[in-house]
Amino acid sequence: MPTLVPTPKIWMNGSLVEWDKAQVHVLTHTLHYGTGVFEGIRAYETPQGAAVFRLTEHIQRLHNSAKIMGMEIPYSVDELVAATKETVASTGLSSCYVRPIAYYGYGEMGLNTLPCKVDVAIACWPWGAYLGDDALTKGVRMKISSWTRLDHNMLPPASKTVANYANSSLAKVEALRAGYDEAILLNQAGLVSECTGENLFVVRGGRIVTPPTSAGALEGITQHSVMRIARDLGHEIVVDNVARSDLYVADEIFCCGTAAEVSAINSVDDRSIPCPGPVTKAVAEMYGRVVRGREDRYKDWCELAV
Ligand code: PPE
């Protein structure tokens, strides 16, 4: 049984269609060549109603991903922000995951994307704790992947391109099959980049470090939120390179992403890490309040769906 829970409507090229009717042809270009770009966003229940967390920034990143790939999205950021709100509102859910995708549709085959038409869809579904219900309390078991993170001149890791996730999937499945929960990918220089779908934070000696985009990490919107929250909580936090051995001797490690939120890490390659540590707990708790519109100073990040 598939675990995906349908919602009433999916937005496709300007209109809301029934979930079951939101279909594409088997010769959809992106299905064959991985050339689409997508986003992952969450809507949360706030005291004012359902709000999409940092929606405008996510849609802006979708446009940036497309720009990196040389793709022109036929809808402006404002149009897609409005479309996302409309789609979330149509679900009737107070919280859900939101997946906008821009892809080359049906009509052309072959690697030349220049003549291809760009289609856009936005779908929502309920999605629980991405790394398991006890990701914050018990923590996540991490493995350094045997797969290398994509290099900037192969497939730009800063773009959320569909094809990039074949790299993430290889690492994820390898880690799961070996009995771990998630993988950390090193780049070609051997430095830490990120996890298969989360950014990474390493706490040591009262200082928090997170790897930069140049190391092969996605410019995470949760990463950005966590940096601001941690600073506001009084922590020193820097963007800098992290070596594999930095992970083994860390005081705390946590990862974050839209789907995973803030998740604690209890070990890397079977070297145990204190978990959940005080910094992880404080940041995770505050993040949980912020996304639910319970902290006034971050209210601008919660964009009401209706
Ligand atoms: N790195 C990668 C590779 C990544 O995919 C994500 C999001 C992040 C970092 C964190 O980015 P942000 O969501 O802006 O904080 N991963 C998505 C999971 C995708 C999936 O379908 O699985 C997500 O969290 O939505």
Side-chain angles (χ1 to χ4, degrees), residues 38 40-41 58 61 97 99 127 130 149 160 165 168 194-199 218-223 256-260:
F38 70 98
I41 318 176
H58 277 282
R61 188 174 65 185
Y97 188 77
R99 168 57 50 81
W127 224 10
Y130 187 67
R149 182 69 180 147
K160 271 183 87 79
Y165 285 81
S168 283
E194 58 178 348
C195 311
T196 67
E198 305 87 30
N199 290 103
L218 182 73
E219 211 168 63
I221 290 169
T222 319
Q223 180 190 37
C256 77
T258 298

Side-chain angles (χ1 to χ4, degrees), residues 68-69 149-161 164:
I68 291 170
M69 296 305 289
R149 182 69 180 147
L150 296 164
D151 188 64
H152 295 280
N153 294 317
M154 293 174 179
L155 273 168
S159 171
K160 271 183 87 79
T161 304
N164 292 11

Side-chain angles (χ1 to χ4, degrees), residues 182-195:
E182 175 54 323
I184 295 171
L185 288 119
L186 307 180
N187 62 24
Q188 284 197 305
L191 295 168
V192 174
S193 63
E194 58 178 348
C195 311

